[in-house]
Amino acid sequence: MKASDTDQQLVQRAQRGDLRAFDLLVLKYQGRIAALVSRYVFDPGEVEDVTQEAFIKAYRALDKFRGDSAFYTWLYRIAANAAKNHLVARSRRPGADATVEDAEGYDEAGALAEGSSPEALAMGDELAAVLQQALDNLPDELRAALMLRELEGLSYDDIADVLGCPVGTVRSRIFRAREAVDQRVREQMSGESGFR
């Protein structure tokens, strides 16, 4: 039995009024949905609120889910829209992923791990900042396609479902996003930072 079969069965049970079935879907996807929301909303309390709002909206619209796409793809679309609507209500522009610290350079106590020099960590931090800036500067449609592919690991078909565009457009957007990020990183790392 595939995960999508299980999701479909849980959805069908939830559509018939089985609240436990929907609870299982929430438990399965709440971490991934919260991670998605946190790429738009940076306050942890707001992330929690928007994640909950997304599941409430999904539950209320469950009768409209027909299984044409995977349940997660459908839920992802609802959550992304909830996050964007939250930001519009707050008059803020959606951002890309928050910069993630390079945890591999530190041990559990927060000290430098063996083999990680301060220079290497500083260079990694600078690269992460340049990469984040390059992602932030992408147009929304390019950033969304790239994030869905690289961070969520969605297939091109699923990304097309989420974004509501043809697969060829998805491929083009991801290619253009990768090119723009690569060019920006190369320019920054060879020019301003002194790395050559």
Side-chain angles (χ1 to χ4, degrees):
M1 179 181 300
K2 298 184 297 189
S4 59
D5 292 338
T6 304
D7 285 355
Q8 186 63 31
Q9 291 168 350
L10 289 172
V11 168
Q12 289 170 352
R13 286 176 41 202
Q15 287 173 329
R16 292 190 301 264
D18 183 347
L19 294 177
R20 179 73 180 128
F22 191 75
D23 287 345
L24 291 172
L25 290 167
V26 171
L27 287 172
K28 181 176 181 178
Y29 290 116
Q30 66 186 356
R32 289 174 73 182
I33 294 301
L36 162 68
V37 170
S38 70
R39 290 203 297 266
Y40 295 94
V41 179
F42 302 115
D43 178 84
E46 290 181 14
V47 168
E48 200 173 301
D49 291 344
V50 174
T51 300
Q52 183 177 16
E53 179 186 339
F55 280 108
I56 290 169
K57 287 181 177 183
Y59 182 75
R60 289 180 179 157
L62 204 54
D63 61 325
K64 295 179 178 86
F65 179 73
R66 300 287 174 233
D68 296 333
S69 63
F71 176 75
Y72 178 70
T73 303
W74 181 77
L75 181 60
Y76 187 104
R77 202 172 321 146
I78 290 171
N81 287 336
K84 290 175 186 176
N85 290 341
H86 174 79
L87 292 177
V88 167
R90 300 261 190 282
S91 298
R92 294 187 294 203
R93 182 181 175 276
D97 293 339
T99 302
V100 177
E101 292 183 48
D102 183 10
E104 293 176 4
Y106 296 90
D107 65 17
E108 290 178 13
L112 285 174
E114 289 183 39
S116 296
S117 70
E119 293 83 14
L121 290 172
M123 189 171 165
D125 288 345
E126 184 170 348
L127 177 59
V130 169
L131 181 58
Q132 184 63 49
Q133 183 180 26
L135 291 170
D136 289 344
N137 289 332
L138 286 174
D140 288 342
E141 68 273 3
L142 298 185
R143 184 174 52 246
L146 186 63
M147 294 296 135
L148 289 170
R149 181 68 180 164
E150 299 300 334
L151 296 176
E152 290 296 320
L154 294 182
S155 70
Y156 288 105
D157 290 332
D158 286 344
I159 296 169
D161 284 344
V162 169
L163 299 179
C165 63
V167 173
T169 302
V170 168
R171 291 182 190 281
S172 172
R173 287 179 182 176
I174 291 171
F175 175 79
R176 289 175 23 225
R178 286 176 176 159
E179 287 291 307
V181 168
D182 184 55
Q183 181 179 350
R184 179 75 174 156
V185 169
R186 276 188 278 125
E187 288 171 0
Q188 289 293 310
M189 298 308 284
S190 67
E192 296 174 13
S193 66
F195 295 109
R196 298 195 186 274

